[in-house]
Amino acid sequence: MTQAPEIPEATRRRHDREIVALAVPAFGALVAEPLFVMADSAIVGHLGTAQLAGLGIASALLTTAVSIFVFLAYATTAAVARRVGAGDRAGAIRQGMDGIWLALLLGIAVIAVVLPLAPGIVDLFGASTTAAPYATTYLRVSSLGIPAMLMVLAATGVLRGLQDTRTPLYVAIGGFIANGVLNVSLVYGAGLGIAGSAWGTVIAQCAMAAVYLTVVVRGARRHGASLRPDVAGIRASAQAGVPLLVRTLSLRAILMIATAVAARLGDADIAAHQIILSLWSLLAFALDAIAIAGQAIIGRYLGAADTEGARAACRRMVQWGIATGVVLGLLVVAARPLFLPLFTGDPVVKDAALPALLLVALSQPICGIVFVLDGVLMGAGDGPYLAGAMLVTLAVFVPAALLVPVFGGGLTALWAAMTLMMTVRMATLWWRSRSGRWLVTGATR
């Protein structure tokens, strides 16, 4: 992106087809994941308030634990796509298997920590005496499914790298349906209560992992790729994931700090913040779908040593990100009279949320650029730069956010700090994309 010549119409249409073909199914799969928690909440909620509170604490812990390891999907997508671009499909699947083996090992390590420490972890997060036993039960049982959850992440990365986002969509839909049926059957039919909900989720996740493994194993046999664990390959997958882990932890820190600051502003502000944050997260799914397409497409171009194709695809995806951001922003503005009443009838909370909501709407084009370039650089395997850029962003955000209550700023000021955070991310990612230093070609980076 050091220059921006006009993209020929035929090339633009080809890029558009690729982006849509990958992004639309990816969006569906992304949306399906949080529906697991929503379904569990709807089923467990009828058991009682204490059970629902316990589920809320345990599911938040599990979601955080799994999201930390999202690099298993991102790093695997980029590595596999490069091999595909280089014409080495057997090597691509072999690379993907290294990621799956790493996921299994990490999952076993997490179980070893969570099972004995579950009561202490639940207490650390402030669970009440009535909710804590339910949270502990759900956390312990659900932790048995973490290896499957992490293997699903890695296997999803394999298929994305192979330019297949449809299979993950179908698996996610099937997993959601199975999770709902199992939860109802085990919670009420078998009378297992909250433990039944946890077991239903574990079984559904294991079934999803089994389907993914079946697809990957078939591909390995078709192309003559080894399925055995390779220590060097697993180590390489872990090393590639470390910078993305730093990036993810930095982003999680930003979100946690924002919530902590909002809590200090008062009950109305923290309630409004949670509403705005839920919307912000929902909008992120649409933009992240384009980023996932970017990971797969850019990795393939660089693996094929086609830097001009990578540049053109990057430019086109940035245009998609901006356009999608504008559309999402307009939808937020248009839907604001309907959106806020869905979450609260308190006029104080609505008044606190409205200006922040408009800030979120205005920032969507910025978010579109950030998500797309994040995906492009992930696809290029530019993890170390992404980690450094995210640490810079964290360093800018922390003082800006902490000064909000000091100077008497409200929720609008906090979301102005969030917008500043996204602007800093956009600047660092845009500078990198313009430099061209991410354009490293070859089957491996």
Side-chain angles (χ1 to χ4, degrees):
M1 288 185 66
T2 53
Q3 297 178 344
E6 183 67 25
I7 303 174
E9 182 62 27
T11 301
R12 186 161 46 243
R13 285 199 299 269
R14 175 165 54 83
H15 287 152
D16 289 346
R17 287 195 298 270
E18 284 187 327
I19 293 167
V20 170
L22 291 171
V24 172
F27 174 71
L30 288 169
V31 171
E33 288 302 319
L35 292 178
F36 272 75
V37 177
M38 290 179 63
D40 288 359
S41 298
I43 294 167
V44 171
H46 292 285
L47 293 174
T49 301
Q51 289 90 331
L52 184 58
L55 172 66
I57 293 167
S59 62
L61 289 167
L62 286 166
T63 301
T64 299
V66 173
S67 68
I68 288 172
F69 297 110
V70 74
F71 69 84
L72 289 166
Y74 294 160
T76 303
T77 298
V80 171
R82 275 184 175 270
R83 294 277 188 178
V84 169
D88 182 10
R89 206 159 184 93
I93 296 174
R94 171 67 265 176
Q95 190 104 39
M97 283 305 305
D98 292 336
I100 292 173
W101 280 112
L102 175 62
L104 177 61
L105 294 174
L106 289 173
I108 293 171
V110 172
I111 289 178
V113 172
V114 172
L115 278 181
L117 299 180
I121 296 171
V122 168
D123 288 341
L124 185 64
F125 277 76
S128 67
T129 54
T130 54
Y134 297 113
T136 301
T137 297
Y138 191 91
L139 184 59
R140 276 182 164 161
V141 175
S142 293
S143 69
L144 299 176
I146 287 179
M149 295 179 194
L150 299 188
M151 291 171 71
V152 165
L153 282 178
T156 300
V158 175
L159 295 182
R160 288 173 181 171
L162 294 171
Q163 317 296 296
D164 176 10
T165 56
R166 289 184 178 272
T167 300
L169 172 61
Y170 300 146
V171 174
I173 293 172
F176 171 71
I177 294 171
N179 179 69
V181 172
L182 286 165
N183 267 256
V184 171
S185 301
L186 295 175
V187 171
Y188 298 108
L192 296 180
I194 195 169
S197 176
W199 279 116
T201 300
V202 169
I203 295 169
Q205 291 287 349
C206 288
M208 291 170 66
V211 172
Y212 275 120
L213 287 175
T214 300
V215 173
V216 174
V217 167
R218 284 178 179 172
R221 289 175 176 169
R222 189 181 309 119
H223 296 283
S226 173
L227 297 172
R228 295 180 179 178
D230 177 66
V231 175
I234 294 171
R235 187 185 301 116
S237 294
Q239 290 172 344
V242 168
L244 295 181
L245 176 61
V246 172
R247 168 203 167 274
T248 300
L249 289 174
S250 300
L251 182 56
R252 297 295 301 184
I254 286 171
L255 297 177
M256 290 175 64
I257 290 168
T259 299
V261 170
R264 293 179 62 186
L265 298 176
D267 289 347
D269 282 325
I270 184 61
H273 175 73
Q274 289 304 112
I275 294 171
I276 301 302
L277 189 61
S278 67
L279 174 64
W280 193 76
S281 300
L282 178 63
L283 297 173
F285 284 132
L287 299 174
D288 204 23
I290 305 174
I292 288 169
Q295 294 170 28
I297 293 170
I298 294 299
R300 192 188 75 233
Y301 273 117
L302 294 180
D306 185 357
T307 57
E308 288 307 311
R311 288 177 187 274
C314 177
R315 286 195 297 272
R316 189 56 179 162
M317 280 184 284
V318 168
Q319 292 170 0
W320 267 80
I322 295 171
T324 304
V326 169
V327 171
L328 291 176
L330 292 174
L331 286 174
V332 169
V333 172
R336 72 187 187 281
L338 301 175
F339 176 75
L340 291 176
L342 288 176
F343 291 88
T344 181
D346 189 335
V348 177
V349 175
K350 289 181 181 178
D351 289 343
L354 184 56
L357 188 70
L358 294 177
L359 267 178
V360 168
L362 289 172
S363 68
Q364 285 310 294
I366 295 173
C367 294
I369 296 172
V370 168
F371 275 81
V372 167
L373 291 181
D374 206 39
V376 165
L377 296 183
M378 282 184 192
D382 206 11
Y385 180 83
L386 289 172
M390 203 65 217
L391 289 172
V392 169
T393 303
L394 178 62
V396 172
F397 174 76
V398 170
L402 295 181
L403 287 173
V404 169
V406 172
F407 288 101
L411 189 65
T412 304
L414 176 59
W415 275 92
M418 290 286 285
T419 303
L420 172 65
M421 178 270 293
M422 293 302 291
T423 304
V424 172
R425 288 188 70 189
M426 181 183 70
T428 57
L429 298 176
W430 184 264
W431 179 85
R432 185 65 166 181
S433 70
R434 296 283 294 179
S435 74
R437 294 177 184 174
W438 54 279
L439 291 164
V440 180
T441 60
T444 58
R445 183 178 171 94

